[in-house]
Amino acid sequence: MLRWVRQQLGFDPPHQSDTRTIYIANRFPQHGHYVPQKFADNRIISSKYTVWNFVPKNLFEQFRRIANFYFLIIFLVQLMIDTPTSPITSGLPLFFVITVTAIKQGYEDWLRHKADNEVNGAPVYVVRSGGLVKTRSKNIRVGDIVRVAKDETFPVDLVLLSSDRVDGSCHVTTASLDGETNLKTHIAVPETAVLQSVANLDKLVAVIECQQPEADLYRFVGRITVSHQTEEIVRPLGPESLLLRGARLKNTKEIFGVAVYTGMETKMALNYKSKSQKRSAVEKSMNSFLIIYLIILLFEAILSTILKYAWQAEEKWDEPWYNEKTEHERNSSKILRFISDFLAFLVLYNFIIPISLYVTVEMQKFLGSFFIGWDLDLYHEETNQRAQVNTSDLNEELGQVEYVFTDKTGTLTENEMQFRECSINGIKYQEVNGKLTPEGFSEDSPDGNRHSLMKEEELFLKAVCLCHTVQINTDQTDGADGPWHANGIATPLEYYASSPDEKALVEAASRVGVVFTGTSGDTMEVKSLGKPERYKLLHVLEFDPNRRRMSVIVESPSGEKLLFTKGAESSILPRSKSGEIDKTRVHVDEFALKGLRTLCVAYRRFTPEEYQEIGKRLHEARTALQQREERLADVFNFIERDLELLGATGVEDKLQEKVQETIEALRLAGIKVWVLTGDKHETAVSVSLSCGHFHRTMNILELVQHKSDSTCAEQLRQLAKRIKEDHVIQHGLVVDGTSLSLALREHEKLFMEVCKNCSAVLCCRMAPLQKAKVVRLLKTSPEKPITLAIGDGANDVSMIQEAHVGIGIMGKEGRQAVRNSDYAIARFKFLSKLLFVHGHFYYIRIATLVQYFFYKNVCFITPQFLYQFFCLFSQQTLYDSVYLTLYNICFTSLPVLIYSLFEQHVHPHVLQSKPVLYRDISKNAHLGFKPFLYWTILGFFHAFVFFYGSYLLMGEDTSLLGNGQMFGNWTFGTLVFTVMVITVTMKMALETHFWTWINHFVTWGSIVFYFIFSLFYGGIIWPFLHTQDMYFVFVQLLSSGSAWFAIILIVVACLFLDVVKKVLYRHLQPTSTEKAQMYSNRVALSDEFIALQPLSRARNQLSKISLLRQVQVSTAWTPCAASQMGKQHAHLLEECWND
């Protein structure tokens, strides 16, 4: 019961030990003091709430917001003491906001529950009592043997026991986990691989010891102890033995595996953990404004309370004849009376805090985010991918970016590798028509037209064909792109690889005569010039970012034990003792200068004694349960030494389309671009120059290859000095990973000073965590700039999560970056539209929304405060309680919401073609102290005009009706309220630059709705109302011609100064944005855009645009889809502006 309660409350009890022991088929030992471990069941829970905790948990989350909590306090105060307004005035808006939010979150959670139930109820087959039993996924327990058939997904994390293949191997695709579509091979240990039937598996007696669950998809440490007759055989278990929940079985009829991690302890579920909540600068400003308005509220309440007692110091006002005090009131404590009066004034003025602001902002962000997905300019037709929004909370942050941190490979480049050159034994080669040709020789020259390979060339190509993780699609009967022809031999093979480099190299080797034809068990088959050779795969030393290399140990057909290694030149060359090391190093640098990605290839021969020692060390390290990674790293370093260098490869990664133009546009917008890459120095610099990140005229400063703090500090000081001396020239900085570590350790301020004075920064040889550290360094600097990180691979995830805004590229390196990002786009070039158009619009919209909300609430509550001066601070309310309740909910809510969804103050093509306009909104310009002060003062000014304008009209008991009848206080309050509703709605209309039929409908409709509602509310006696002070008041007010004249006069008086200010500022001190608006109005633009259309419908509409070329379309449009003609008009506008 206690465990169930803990689960319902969301507590996960910590594991008691570092490892878990799993008895296969749950055959627990019958003797000894065995205490069974408790494991999670196999239910997946992605929902946030349960039936039991929804109400308390949801209420707790909602009341953490300042405004909600504040209104709750006000509501409770109204219930406890006698206040001038009904508790309904605070309770109803609060109830509305809380209910709307709770319904939205409850519905979203219900959908998650529904999806969970589908997954948890899926049918599975489990081996129990000597047979296959069909059960539901949620009933699987740790230790159960599960059968999975071809093309089914794994219901739990399984350790592979056997498959339908003799060697116990199977192929798996993990596309749903990390996006990698290549087939990965998993292998069972030999002792269980032979158990291919249910009957044999039921007799298996074995124990698995492994680490407790962790989120890393690529890490698993364990060992299996199989009881075979009288002996116990221990085998290591690693990632190659673990089949992850969510992955799919391919090219294998069926497998059996034992469940090791279940339910919320599977690696897939652990990777669902929520990211740290990112908050936008606008939200932080909003909270600051709330606190300021809270101070204003407290000031008004305290002042009113003091003035009340100052007024009541005179006896005639303390107890007038018409309001004598009771005995209880005379004897009550003055302190308690003061507190009670203070709270009453607090309640009276409480609407200065806009409770509906949060729910409006939430709706604006949620609905506004759809426009990014609908934008056809962000749609990539080749891959059929459109922009994706994972976090709508940061839309406006796209308009505030000051630093962009970008990955290189797959982000600036295509990540489509093409083999270009290689160096073998100190000689450079190029591929010419399917043949390796030494540099300087053409195909027609005597040496260039060879049909055989030299010994060194053949060994190099064999190393390339054996040292990899490439898979072959065994279902393939025809080559996807037609067969490759290698020396006349058709090889219809389709390769899959997690690394595009590996695939390019294996394909290149196959074209020139050495073809990798696949693996069978532990045998790799290679055809060298048509002659098949079989190599036994003995060990794979997996690639890792620290070693920056991978190796295989194979047994050649002659029985020789060979190690083949490939990796970065910085990790291979220092470990090589023979071969053409110096020539190869020169060639690698030349390849890098051309912008090619380089890898070095080496090998080593083992004597039988050496191999025996290696096998023993590898077994010990792989079966260790503690510090396995450290032990394996030591063994790998021991094996990968004394290498003989074979050569190097150069693979080209093409730049993406319009990368140069995008980087230049970002620079014009005042955004600094930093490239963070793992590539070598020369390659990274070459690509930076070709993509426009570095200019040819730029002074390139370098901070590379430093080994000590002192040399690094000295170099930094020299760089700072050079920048000061040559301050006119633009500077670019290149820094490598090792130098960066030294710079950040002791000289952080100096390093940051150098970086900030450089126009562009390139960091090469970067580890993933170093990328995140650089982003954090800029984020936490004194200026607190807004950062954006963009990348496409798993190594970019930490950087994407660290930045204020993270953008994933839907590339070829899996989907980890997309899954962990806030936004996802298909190409780097889309970044300009995302920032300059969507970011600009979202920021302007929400900045105006927030300021306008505070403005209209100041307009609303200030007359209430002024009215107290005319009623002896008796806490008499100016407005009827229904008007108090509906002001923010109904009368003034829709115009600002529609504005915040559709406003486009400048033509989108102008925004994109003139990136300099982005500078106008940088550094939170529209939500700074000056704009905030302007809107607040404007609110107070309008409130004074509302109140005193109405007072001048009615204050001296003037009769405004033909029969001489006087108006009362409710009529006066209604007049003020009517003027206010019209003025604040018209103010929103003045702020709107882009009018659609929806804007017209809600703007004028809100005013009409107010009049109709007031007529019905005051024209009928409602039986359920306790009092009806407003009966016939509104009808009486509208029957006076003087009242109509007053309404018009006061509205004009309020808005006249606004209009004058706008006109003067736009003509005398126009900003770049206002210039763009003026020129937009002068040029006739025929906008052929599709508004508010889903992607498929918008695309169909685009085909019909040519029929409308002569028509001036004035309907609503969004940045969804732009026709070519619209773009031409925008260019015309741009030329006009430049002239």
Side-chain angles (χ1 to χ4, degrees):
M1 181 66 185
L2 181 63
R3 188 174 176 220
W4 180 84
V5 171
R6 287 173 69 83
Q7 282 182 342
Q8 294 305 306
L9 293 173
F11 297 118
D12 191 15
H15 297 290
Q16 298 302 314
S17 68
D18 293 332
T19 60
R20 56 169 55 188
T21 304
I22 299 153
Y23 292 88
I24 293 179
N26 291 307
R27 288 194 179 85
F28 303 114
Q30 302 300 317
H31 53 83
H33 300 286
Y34 169 69
V35 180
Q37 290 177 290
K38 289 184 178 180
F39 305 117
D41 58 30
N42 198 38
R43 288 180 304 150
I44 283 291
I45 303 169
S46 62
S47 54
K48 192 174 181 180
Y49 307 106
T50 66
V51 174
W52 309 103
N53 71 12
F54 175 73
V55 173
K57 195 172 181 179
N58 187 266
L59 287 176
F60 172 74
E61 287 176 353
Q62 293 209 54
F63 284 120
R64 284 194 300 179
R65 287 181 164 173
I66 295 172
N68 288 354
F69 183 71
Y70 161 77
F71 267 83
L72 177 66
I73 298 296
I74 293 293
F75 177 64
L76 294 175
V77 167
Q78 285 179 295
L79 290 176
M80 287 187 292
I81 66 168
D82 182 25
T83 56
T85 57
S86 164
I88 294 172
T89 57
S90 295
L92 193 62
L94 178 65
F95 177 76
F96 173 76
V97 169
I98 296 293
T99 305
V100 168
T101 310
I103 289 170
K104 172 180 169 283
Q105 292 177 352
Y107 174 70
E108 288 173 351
D109 207 59
W110 176 76
L111 293 178
R112 286 192 284 266
H113 272 284
K114 194 176 173 184
D116 289 347
N117 291 336
E118 284 181 21
V119 172
N120 295 331
V124 293
Y125 288 92
V126 178
V127 177
R128 283 180 187 158
S129 306
L132 271 181
V133 178
K134 187 176 181 180
T135 184
R136 293 188 174 193
S137 174
K138 65 182 179 182
N139 298 327
I140 298 174
R141 298 168 298 172
V142 170
D144 280 345
I145 298 174
V146 182
R147 191 204 77 169
V148 180
K150 183 181 177 182
D151 291 329
E152 289 181 354
T153 55
F154 301 116
V156 289
D157 286 353
L158 300 164
V159 165
L160 180 61
L161 294 178
S162 65
S163 72
D164 63 322
R165 297 179 181 176
V166 180
D167 60 356
S169 67
C170 71
H171 294 302
V172 167
T173 175
T174 57
S176 61
L177 294 174
D178 56 16
E180 293 179 5
T181 55
N182 60 298
L183 297 178
K184 296 174 181 174
T185 305
H186 291 259
I187 304 168
V189 298
E191 285 71 25
T192 62
V194 295
L195 306 175
Q196 295 180 308
S197 67
V198 174
N200 289 336
L201 282 165
D202 196 50
K203 297 172 187 174
L204 174 65
V205 179
V207 180
I208 291 175
E209 294 172 90
C210 62
Q211 63 187 153
Q212 293 290 5
E214 68 169 20
D216 191 340
L217 293 174
Y218 310 105
R219 185 173 183 270
F220 177 66
V221 179
R223 66 182 173 209
I224 184 169
T225 306
V226 182
S227 299
H228 187 65
Q229 295 173 356
T230 56
E231 62 173 335
E232 290 188 342
I233 301 167
V234 180
R235 295 285 185 185
L237 298 174
E240 72 285 347
S241 306
L242 188 68
L243 305 170
L244 300 177
R245 177 173 191 148
R248 191 178 291 272
L249 185 65
K250 290 285 186 183
N251 293 1
T252 311
K253 186 180 176 184
E254 66 175 13
I255 64 99
F256 289 94
V258 60
V260 287
Y261 304 131
T262 50
M264 297 309 292
E265 293 183 341
T266 57
K267 290 184 179 287
M268 182 183 79
L270 292 173
N271 275 277
Y272 282 162
K273 65 182 179 183
S274 59
K275 305 189 288 283
S276 59
Q277 188 68 32
K278 293 182 179 179
R279 292 172 64 218
S280 69
V282 169
E283 193 177 336
K284 292 170 188 172
S285 298
M286 212 159 72
N287 288 338
S288 303
F289 297 161
L290 275 173
I291 291 167
I292 292 170
Y293 271 70
L294 199 59
I295 293 167
I296 293 173
L297 170 67
L298 291 172
F299 170 75
E300 286 184 350
I302 292 168
L303 180 65
S304 297
T305 311
I306 293 169
L307 288 174
K308 176 178 181 174
Y309 282 91
W311 209 298
Q312 289 180 355
E314 291 185 46
E315 193 174 335
K316 66 174 181 175
W317 295 123
D318 181 37
E319 194 175 348
W321 60 269
Y322 55 83
N323 191 18
E324 291 185 5
K325 292 180 182 179
T326 63
E327 196 64 33
H328 174 71
E329 286 174 333
R330 288 194 187 97
N331 298 330
S332 61
S333 166
K334 288 186 177 180
I335 295 173
L336 287 176
R337 282 214 315 268
F338 185 90
I339 293 171
S340 177
D341 284 328
F342 168 73
L343 291 174
F345 280 117
L346 208 62
V347 167
L348 194 64
Y349 306 146
N350 78 82
F351 282 96
I352 198 169
I353 306 293
I355 186 173
S356 54
L357 173 61
Y358 279 117
V359 75
T360 308
V361 166
E362 211 167 275
M363 288 172 69
Q364 189 270 345
K365 288 182 176 184
F366 175 70
L367 296 172
S369 63
F370 285 105
F371 294 133
I372 292 177
W374 290 340
D375 190 344
L376 283 184
D377 286 344
L378 302 182
Y379 169 69
H380 192 241
E381 202 161 356
E382 291 171 31
T383 55
N384 192 29
Q385 289 172 327
R386 56 179 179 170
Q388 184 178 313
V389 179
N390 299 328
T391 309
S392 61
D393 291 342
L394 301 171
N395 293 343
E396 65 277 7
E397 207 80 329
L398 294 169
Q400 294 296 295
V401 175
E402 294 171 63
Y403 282 86
V404 168
F405 298 92
T406 174
D407 176 42
K408 183 182 76 68
T409 307
T411 304
L412 300 178
T413 61
E414 289 283 5
N415 204 10
E416 281 184 4
M417 308 302 173
Q418 291 182 325
F419 175 80
R420 289 293 179 229
E421 295 182 67
C422 65
S423 169
I424 304 173
N425 201 31
I427 301 170
K428 273 206 289 187
Y429 291 82
Q430 291 177 329
E431 184 191 350
V432 180
N433 294 332
K435 299 181 183 68
L436 273 186
T437 306
E439 190 179 48
F441 292 94
S442 67
E443 191 183 357
D444 302 326
S445 61
D447 288 339
N449 192 15
R450 298 174 299 157
H451 293 283
S452 62
L453 294 168
M454 293 170 62
K455 183 183 174 184
E456 294 86 357
E457 296 169 354
E458 190 174 1
L459 184 59
F460 174 84
L461 292 171
K462 282 179 182 176
V464 167
C465 280
L466 293 168
C467 186
H468 58 71
T469 56
V470 174
Q471 300 292 328
I472 292 174
N473 184 359
T474 54
D475 290 340
Q476 168 115 354
T477 54
D478 246 345
D481 301 313
W484 295 306
H485 293 276
N487 295 294
I489 304 166
T491 56
L493 298 172
E494 186 178 354
Y495 295 116
Y496 287 99
S498 54
S499 165
D501 299 73
E502 286 191 337
K503 186 183 176 190
L505 292 175
V506 172
E507 287 175 354
S510 72
R511 290 196 296 271
V512 297
V514 181
V515 185
F516 168 63
T517 55
T519 57
S520 176
D522 59 356
T523 303
M524 300 180 78
E525 189 173 302
V526 173
K527 278 187 180 178
S528 180
L529 298 175
K531 179 186 172 185
E533 294 181 10
R534 292 177 179 272
Y535 289 81
K536 186 178 181 182
L537 182 61
L538 302 172
H539 296 285
V540 178
L541 313 188
E542 296 83 2
F543 174 86
D544 69 66
N546 297 321
R547 283 170 44 246
R548 300 183 64 79
R549 58 185 180 273
M550 76 156 291
S551 304
V552 293
I553 301 174
V554 296
E555 185 179 318
S556 68
S558 61
E560 202 173 13
K561 306 291 193 299
L562 300 172
L563 169 81
F564 289 112
T565 303
K566 77 167 189 288
E569 89 291 340
S570 59
S571 65
I572 299 291
L573 295 181
R575 296 179 165 274
S576 302
K577 69 169 186 179
S578 58
E580 296 289 346
I581 298 172
D582 293 333
K583 286 184 180 178
T584 305
R585 183 178 278 115
V586 172
H587 290 165
V588 165
D589 291 342
E590 288 176 5
F591 294 164
L593 286 171
K594 294 178 184 177
L596 304 181
R597 291 164 62 88
T598 58
L599 286 173
C600 287
V601 183
Y603 84 114
R604 178 184 175 187
R605 300 176 193 272
F606 293 123
T607 63
E609 294 78 17
E610 285 176 331
Y611 179 72
Q612 195 173 358
E613 171 70 11
I614 284 166
K616 182 184 172 185
R617 288 195 178 201
L618 273 174
H619 182 74
E620 287 174 358
R622 280 182 166 151
T623 53
L625 285 179
Q626 303 295 330
Q627 297 181 322
R628 182 183 289 186
E629 282 85 358
E630 292 83 352
R631 293 188 187 187
L632 279 173
D634 292 339
V635 176
F636 289 174
N637 286 331
F638 173 75
I639 296 169
E640 296 165 332
R641 61 192 176 91
D642 301 334
L643 303 173
E644 184 174 337
L645 188 63
L646 290 172
T649 60
V651 176
E652 183 184 28
D653 190 3
K654 284 185 178 178
L655 277 179
Q656 285 187 19
E657 185 188 3
K658 293 189 177 178
V659 166
Q660 194 163 356
E661 293 91 328
T662 305
I663 289 177
E664 185 58 34
L666 291 171
R667 191 175 282 122
L668 287 172
I671 299 171
K672 290 191 175 182
V673 180
W674 288 34
V675 176
L676 313 180
T677 177
D679 272 353
K680 73 189 299 288
H681 173 204
E682 291 81 4
T683 307
V685 171
S686 174
V687 173
S688 278
L689 285 166
S690 62
C691 73
H693 179 235
F694 284 166
H695 288 301
R696 298 286 173 187
T697 56
M698 198 179 273
N699 183 21
I700 308 296
L701 309 173
E702 292 189 349
L703 183 69
V704 293
Q705 296 179 347
H706 289 284
K707 305 293 182 188
S708 67
D709 275 342
S710 56
T711 58
C712 182
E714 181 57 33
Q715 179 69 7
L716 276 170
R717 281 190 281 271
Q718 287 182 9
L719 293 178
K721 188 179 176 183
R722 281 183 63 185
I723 290 170
K724 282 180 182 176
E725 289 172 355
D726 303 331
H727 60 277
V728 179
I729 307 170
Q730 282 192 328
H731 299 280
L733 177 68
V734 183
V735 57
D736 63 8
T738 53
S739 304
L740 181 73
S741 298
L742 293 170
L744 296 184
R745 194 182 303 160
E746 297 289 339
H747 318 289
E748 195 174 287
K749 285 186 179 178
L750 187 57
F751 175 69
M752 283 304 300
E753 185 187 334
V754 171
C755 288
K756 285 178 181 176
N757 289 318
C758 291
S759 303
V761 178
L762 168 65
C763 301
C764 54
R765 285 290 185 236
M766 297 281 283
L769 283 176
Q770 280 185 311
K771 291 184 177 184
K773 278 183 182 175
V774 170
V775 176
R776 192 181 308 124
L777 186 68
L778 261 293
K779 255 177 77 174
T780 55
S781 63
E783 294 83 6
K784 298 281 188 297
I786 303 299
T787 57
L788 180 147
I790 180 168
D792 72 320
N795 60 332
D796 303 315
V797 168
S798 53
M799 169 177 81
I800 284 170
Q801 289 182 334
E802 184 63 46
H804 291 95
V805 182
I807 296 183
I809 295 282
M810 301 167 188
K812 298 186 173 73
E813 287 193 18
R815 291 297 172 112
Q816 300 98 316
V818 171
R819 278 183 19 239
N820 288 279
S821 65
D822 303 307
Y823 302 88
I825 52 178
R827 286 290 180 269
F828 183 79
K829 66 177 181 179
F830 294 154
L831 187 63
S832 60
K833 178 78 182 281
L834 194 65
L835 298 186
F836 303 152
V837 179
H838 288 285
H840 200 119
F841 283 156
Y842 284 133
Y843 176 74
I844 291 292
R845 290 165 182 170
I846 203 160
T848 307
L849 183 150
V850 171
Q851 304 273 32
Y852 176 78
F853 250 94
F854 285 108
Y855 152 79
K856 73 186 180 78
N857 278 45
V858 167
C859 290
F860 181 39
I861 222 66
T862 304
Q864 187 88 274
F865 172 68
L866 296 174
Y867 187 56
Q868 297 309 303
F869 286 88
F870 295 86
C871 64
L872 294 183
F873 294 91
S874 61
Q875 296 147 16
Q876 167 65 35
T877 178
L878 177 63
Y879 314 119
D880 182 69
S881 58
V882 171
Y883 286 161
L884 281 171
T885 306
L886 297 183
Y887 176 75
N888 277 317
I889 295 176
C890 296
F891 299 146
T892 59
S893 58
L894 276 179
V896 67
L897 177 62
I898 297 303
Y899 169 92
S900 67
L901 290 174
F902 299 125
E903 172 63 2
Q904 293 170 11
H905 59 301
V906 181
H907 198 289
H909 290 307
V910 174
L911 285 178
Q912 200 165 355
S913 60
K914 288 285 179 185
V916 71
L917 296 177
Y918 193 80
R919 293 174 185 249
D920 280 3
I921 61 167
S922 62
K923 298 188 185 297
N924 208 10
H926 288 249
L927 273 177
F929 184 70
K930 279 186 179 179
F932 168 71
L933 197 63
Y934 164 73
W935 279 92
T936 303
I937 291 172
L938 185 69
F940 280 114
F941 167 71
H942 283 181
F944 273 78
V945 175
F946 301 155
F947 184 83
Y948 286 108
S950 302
Y951 179 74
L952 287 172
L953 187 72
M954 299 174 57
E956 300 300 326
D957 294 335
T958 310
S959 172
L960 299 180
L961 293 173
N963 59 6
Q965 190 178 342
M966 301 293 189
F967 280 166
N969 67 310
W970 291 116
T971 313
F972 175 71
T974 305
L975 176 62
V976 173
F977 193 83
T978 304
V979 170
M980 178 172 57
V981 168
I982 296 171
T983 304
V984 297
T985 306
M986 292 294 291
K987 173 63 181 171
M988 188 76 265
L990 280 177
E991 293 299 314
T992 304
H993 296 92
F994 187 77
W995 283 89
T996 68
W997 68 265
I998 304 175
N999 291 82
H1000 283 290
F1001 179 77
V1002 297
T1003 301
W1004 315 122
S1006 292
I1007 297 173
V1008 171
F1009 172 76
Y1010 164 70
F1011 277 88
I1012 293 172
F1013 173 84
S1014 297
L1015 286 169
F1016 272 92
Y1017 171 59
I1020 300 171
I1021 296 176
W1022 300 99
F1024 53 83
L1025 291 178
H1026 179 60
T1027 60
Q1028 198 153 351
D1029 298 320
M1030 294 296 293
Y1031 181 66
F1032 226 63
V1033 166
F1034 197 69
V1035 177
Q1036 196 177 42
L1037 178 70
L1038 296 187
S1039 64
S1040 166
S1042 304
W1044 280 104
F1045 177 72
I1047 290 169
I1048 295 168
L1049 189 66
I1050 294 168
V1051 170
V1052 170
C1054 284
L1055 299 177
F1056 178 73
L1057 289 178
D1058 280 8
V1059 174
V1060 170
K1061 176 202 168 271
K1062 276 181 179 286
V1063 171
L1064 288 176
Y1065 267 82
R1066 287 169 75 87
H1067 285 83
L1068 300 177
Q1069 290 181 325
T1071 63
S1072 303
T1073 305
E1074 286 168 343
K1075 287 178 185 175
Q1077 288 170 346
M1078 285 189 280
Y1079 283 109
S1080 295
N1081 295 332
R1082 290 180 192 176
V1083 179
L1085 293 169
S1086 72
D1087 299 325
E1088 293 145 357
F1089 292 90
I1090 290 51
L1092 306 174
Q1093 303 284 347
L1095 192 64
S1096 57
R1097 189 171 168 195
R1099 292 175 67 190
N1100 293 334
Q1101 291 289 333
L1102 278 174
S1103 62
K1104 302 174 186 175
I1105 280 177
S1106 57
L1107 302 173
L1108 305 171
R1109 286 196 173 173
Q1110 305 304 318
V1111 183
Q1112 293 291 325
V1113 181
S1114 60
T1115 54
W1117 62 277
T1118 67
C1120 286
S1123 71
Q1124 190 60 38
M1125 194 163 176
K1127 292 178 181 177
Q1128 289 169 0
H1129 284 305
H1131 292 315
L1132 174 63
L1133 178 146
E1134 186 184 346
E1135 287 169 15
C1136 177
W1137 188 9
N1138 289 335
D1139 291 341

